[in-house]
Amino acid sequence: MLKRPYQYLRKTYLAFINSIIFIPSVMAFLSVTFSILMMTFEDSELSNEAKEVLKFALVIGADNARFLLNAFIGGIISLMVFNFSMVMVVLNQAATAFSPRVVPGVLTNKSYQVVLGTYLGTILYCLLLIVNIGKTEEGIYIPQLSIFVGMCLGVLSLILFIYFIHSISRSVQVDNIILLVYNKTFKELKSKEVSKYQDYQTVFDKVASWQTIPSNQSGYFRECNRKKLVKVAKKHDIKLFISLKEGSFLVIGTPLLKVDKEIKQEVMDEILEEFIFYDNEYIQDNYVYGIKQLSEIATKALSPGINDPETAIRTINYMTLLFIEKALREGVYCYTDEDDNTRLWEETYSLYNLMYRYIAPILYYGKDDVMVVERLFSMIESLLLAQRIEGKLDVSKINSLLLEFHKTIKDNTEGEQKNYINKAILRINLLMQKSGFQLPFLE
């Protein structure tokens, strides 16, 4: 830890902002600050004018003030306990019915954190008010306006409790889980600040003779500070190629990246300082995690214990949209400096690799369901028809994927099922005939 303080601090920061306590902690701090400001504002002239307008809603008497604040604190603590219990129930159901990997996405739902943060902030606000109610040299001090604001926060907490019940009941629905994962994945896929893309093979041939830099730590490669790496590369007039995909597991000494010239150990340490390793898979770190979660949801839905092919079909539909978006960003990611010189290349999963890796499990478990198989063929058809990615697809690799589909299902379909699938194959063949590829029909 002491040898890599930046990595440790960065890892701690990422873990904190991705945890359920992030927003509640910030709101608790703001609540304490707001409480102090309100009590400071209490004796101002503007406060006295506000009290005249709101005198019908202001509490009178120290005992009444304490009773009111105590009632709000006790009630909100009960709501908070109930909400935490409901969150745990939802997490258990999400892990059981869908996939354990969707749990972080549900757990870090911003609306849940805001509700819990409001509860915690209101409790702390009211506690500070209770402490400041009492006798002074000038008489009994009652921060009436601050207590009125506390009452408003208590009512807001009750309203948010109703919202929370509504939201938590919807969050356990499979359609909403799938949509949540899709939206986060789509947002992360579009947010990549990549200067340009280059062909995989062209880049691989270029960097083949470059010096290899091994990893200085073990674990899952989750993130690197690309902007900082570009600055370091420009500073030392070097070029870098990250040869390991995000999410890959590696041990100390495993090749991590390449550099185009010999560099000193100090420069190597400066580069390695920008790589972060940690275990949790957050979609906002890498869109591939989102595609993986959708694949696992579909696979789980096709398991004998759940047997819900409609969920699998819905998941395939959303994966199709993500694959189309990925096709627009196909190639090695390139990052340039201020002078438009490419300083950093990053290897990523190709569209074909993503499709094969995450569609194969769905095909394996759904090969006996003609609707699931037909939907997979329709997914390929949608990719071939999408005008946005026309000319960006490698039809030869798409054909290889279709041959894998054909090989898997040919012995698992019979009778009318073959006719149904052959119709989908016919539509695909019409789209691929210009490229000279034809998929055999099921006999």
Side-chain angles (χ1 to χ4, degrees), residues 316-317 319-320 323-324 351-352 355-356 359 373-386 389 393-395 397-403 405 424-425 427-429 431-432 439:
I316 293 170
N317 292 337
M319 292 177 72
T320 303
F323 289 146
I324 291 175
L351 175 63
Y352 173 76
M355 292 180 66
Y356 185 81
I359 292 300
V373 173
E374 192 276 337
R375 184 59 252 174
L376 289 174
F377 278 105
S378 296
M379 177 189 68
I380 302 298
E381 182 183 0
S382 298
L383 291 172
L384 294 171
L385 284 171
I389 59 175
L393 290 177
D394 188 334
V395 182
K397 291 186 176 180
I398 294 295
N399 183 67
S400 299
L401 186 64
L402 287 169
L403 290 174
F405 286 7
I425 293 176
R427 297 194 301 269
I428 290 174
N429 284 342
L431 295 172
M432 297 180 63
L439 189 65

Side-chain angles (χ1 to χ4, degrees), residues 169-349:
S169 62
R170 294 183 69 252
S171 66
V172 297
Q173 298 174 11
V174 63
D175 290 350
N176 292 322
I177 291 286
I178 294 173
L179 187 60
L180 173 67
V181 175
Y182 165 75
N183 286 334
K184 287 187 176 182
T185 308
F186 186 80
K187 181 179 178 180
E188 170 61 19
L189 183 56
K190 293 195 69 174
S191 67
K192 283 289 184 182
E193 297 180 6
V194 180
S195 304
K196 54 186 176 181
Y197 306 88
Q198 290 186 5
D199 178 68
Y200 289 100
Q201 195 58 50
T202 301
V203 176
F204 294 160
D205 293 340
K206 180 178 182 179
V207 305
S209 59
W210 287 12
Q211 177 191 357
T212 298
I213 298 179
S215 172
N216 61 349
Q217 55 184 316
S218 300
Y220 287 94
F221 168 42
R222 296 306 187 202
E223 193 212 36
C224 64
N225 191 334
R226 297 167 183 83
K227 291 183 178 180
K228 188 68 177 294
L229 285 174
V230 170
K231 292 180 180 178
V232 172
K234 182 180 179 181
K235 174 183 174 182
H236 299 285
D237 191 25
I238 57 177
K239 297 179 181 179
L240 301 172
F241 172 71
I242 302 176
S243 57
L244 195 71
K245 303 179 182 69
E246 285 187 339
S248 301
F249 181 82
L250 72 167
V251 298
I252 294 177
T254 302
L256 177 60
L257 69 158
K258 293 185 175 183
V259 61
D260 66 333
K261 63 178 68 173
E262 293 287 337
I263 57 176
K264 297 180 180 179
Q265 184 63 43
E266 295 79 17
V267 180
M268 188 179 300
D269 292 338
E270 187 178 358
I271 293 171
L272 292 175
E273 186 78 4
E274 305 304 324
F275 288 81
I276 305 297
F277 295 75
Y278 59 95
D279 291 332
N280 292 330
E281 296 183 356
Y282 298 110
I283 297 175
Q284 53 267 35
D285 294 337
N286 190 350
Y287 69 90
V288 176
Y289 300 151
I291 297 176
K292 179 195 294 186
Q293 289 181 16
L294 289 174
S295 176
E296 290 178 348
I297 291 173
T299 304
K300 193 71 173 286
L302 293 171
S303 64
I306 297 178
N307 192 23
D308 183 11
E310 186 59 37
T311 293
I313 291 172
R314 188 174 182 85
T315 304
I316 293 170
N317 292 337
Y318 282 112
M319 292 177 72
T320 303
L321 298 177
L322 293 174
F323 289 146
I324 291 175
E325 201 65 31
K326 167 60 180 173
L328 297 172
R329 295 160 174 79
E330 184 72 346
V332 177
Y333 292 169
C334 306
Y335 300 87
T336 58
D337 57 20
E338 295 86 348
D339 301 324
D340 202 33
N341 295 318
T342 303
R343 293 290 181 180
L344 176 65
W345 287 265
E346 180 184 5
E347 182 180 355
T348 62
Y349 289 106

Side-chain angles (χ1 to χ4, degrees), residues 69-88:
L69 293 174
N70 279 323
F72 273 119
I73 291 173
I76 294 173
I77 288 177
S78 299
L79 294 181
M80 198 170 184
V81 172
F82 176 81
N83 283 13
F84 269 116
S85 301
M86 289 295 294
V87 168
M88 293 302 106

